[in-house]
Amino acid sequence: MSRTVFCRKYQKELEGLDFPPMPGKKGQELFETVSKQAWEEWQSQQTMLINEKHLSLMDPNTRKYLQAQMEHFLDNEPFDKAEGYVPPEQ
């Protein structure tokens, strides 16, 4: 059986991540407070931001920016979205 966490984004018990998504204290905090569903949604948002804004992960400022956007996203605060993105029709 998979483990559950009280997800800070959805404010309910959901399936947790299989392992910390990054090293260190921050990775452990995310592992303990973010659901697999919320993390997958963030990864999708992050990919759109990187692609649409032509961000370089080699730039330390880009990494700080993405870290801040991740916190906003997971805390249900306003966060930057990819401008001009139109979801595919179903």
Side-chain angles (χ1 to χ4, degrees):
M1 183 173 146
S2 61
R3 66 184 202 84
T4 61
V5 296
F6 186 78
C7 181
R8 73 191 230 200
K9 178 160 181 68
Y10 292 107
Q11 296 295 302
K12 62 182 179 181
E13 290 285 329
L14 291 169
E15 182 180 358
L17 296 167
D18 296 326
F19 50 86
M22 58 182 67
K25 185 176 148 187
K26 187 65 186 171
Q28 190 61 35
E29 176 191 330
L30 292 169
F31 182 67
E32 294 169 0
T33 62
V34 175
S35 68
K36 188 178 281 191
Q37 175 186 351
W39 186 252
E40 289 171 357
E41 289 173 10
W42 163 245
Q43 287 185 308
S44 180
Q45 281 294 326
Q46 177 180 247
T47 300
M48 283 192 284
L49 285 173
I50 291 167
N51 290 339
E52 295 297 321
K53 294 182 177 285
H54 306 286
L55 301 176
S56 168
L57 295 177
M58 297 296 291
D59 180 357
N61 290 327
T62 293
R63 293 194 301 270
K64 287 178 187 172
Y65 166 76
L66 289 172
Q67 181 92 10
Q69 294 309 306
M70 176 188 73
E71 294 296 331
H72 294 309
F73 176 83
L74 295 174
D75 290 336
N76 291 313
E77 297 171 353
F79 62 95
D80 288 353
K81 296 180 176 70
E83 293 123 25
Y85 173 73
V86 178
E89 292 185 27
Q90 306 234 353

